[in-house]
Amino acid sequence: MEIKLTYVIIAIQTGIILYLLYKDKFVDWRRLRKIKRSGDYGERLVSDYLDNMEDVFHIYHGVQGSFDRQHFEIDHLLLVHQGVILIETKNIRGTIIAKKNSWCQIKKSESGRPYERDFRSPINQIERTSRIFEAFLNTKGIKTKVCPVVVFSVRDVELKLPPQKHPVIHLHELETTLQNVSRDVPLSTRQLRKLKEVIDAEYS
C-alpha cells in the first residue's frame, strides 16, 4: 500500500513539474491554434462570398509558391476584366487602428477587460506579395497591374485607419470595390485565358 502511495505521489509531483516547465508553451500553442482556426474560418467566409460573385473569370484560393527565391502566400486570387486581384483576409474583431510601425487590435477579453494586440500591417504584407507576383507574370510576358485588397471578413470590426495605399474593406464591400477598380483598357477574355494558363502551369 505504501509503495502504491509513493508511486501516486511521484506521478503527481512529476505532473506538477511538467506543467510548470511547459505551461507557457502550452498557452502559446493554444493561442496560435485559436488564431489559426480563426484565420481558416475567415478565409472560408471570403471563399464562399467570392464563389457566388458574378463577372469573375476565375478564382484561386490558398495559392502558395515562390519566385526569385521569395516565398509568398495568397489567400485569394481573382482574375477579372478589371485586372488581377490579390486578397489578404483578416478575421479580426474589435477596433483596428494604425500605429507607426504596425496595426493594433483593440477589443475586450472573455472576462470583459479591454486589451490591445499589435500585428503586422496587412497592407505591407499584400503589397510585397503583389510585387513578387507581378514580377513573376512579367517573366511570362504578361504585363498587367496586380491590385492588392485587404478584406476583414467579420462585420463586428471597426476600421479606424487613415487612408491606405490599397483598399481595406469589410467583406460586404468587396463586390462594389472590385467594380470600382479602374483600368484604362480592361483585360479581354483571351488575356484572362492566358493568365489562367500561366498560373495553372506554375501553381496548380
Side-chain angles (χ1 to χ4, degrees), residues 9-143:
I9 293 171
I10 292 172
I12 292 172
Q13 290 174 335
T14 302
I16 292 172
I17 291 170
L18 290 173
Y19 171 76
L20 293 173
L21 285 173
Y22 294 103
K23 72 172 183 176
D24 290 339
K25 290 185 179 180
F26 178 70
V27 169
D28 286 344
W29 174 79
R30 285 188 63 189
R31 181 179 61 81
L32 292 172
R33 189 180 175 203
K34 185 177 180 180
I35 291 172
K36 176 70 165 57
R37 282 204 308 265
S38 177
D40 290 345
Y41 175 70
E43 288 184 25
R44 284 198 303 273
L45 284 177
V46 177
S47 294
D48 291 344
Y49 184 96
L50 292 173
D51 290 340
N52 288 297
M53 278 180 52
E54 298 178 356
D55 300 325
V56 175
F57 181 80
H58 196 76
I59 302 172
Y60 298 88
H61 302 297
V63 178
Q64 297 187 31
S66 60
F67 173 73
D68 195 23
R69 292 182 291 183
Q70 298 181 89
H71 180 75
F72 64 85
E73 295 183 13
I74 303 170
D75 291 339
H76 311 281
L77 167 61
L78 276 68
L79 303 182
V80 295
H81 288 289
Q82 293 95 325
V84 179
I85 313 294
L86 301 191
I87 295 177
E88 172 69 21
T89 300
K90 293 298 175 187
N91 187 41
I92 300 177
R93 291 171 169 79
T95 301
I96 308 300
I97 63 172
K99 292 186 175 181
K100 185 176 180 180
N101 297 313
S102 65
W103 286 14
C104 178
Q105 174 195 26
I106 305 172
K107 65 174 295 190
K108 290 184 178 180
S109 65
E110 294 178 359
S111 63
R113 295 180 61 184
Y115 70 91
E116 295 184 4
R117 181 182 70 86
D118 290 350
F119 61 99
R120 185 173 57 162
S121 164
I123 284 288
N124 294 341
Q125 186 177 345
I126 193 67
E127 194 171 51
R128 172 188 174 274
T129 302
S130 297
R131 285 197 301 268
I132 296 170
F133 199 73
E134 202 169 277
F136 157 70
L137 292 177
N138 283 339
T139 63
K140 301 297 182 180
I142 299 175
K143 297 188 181 297

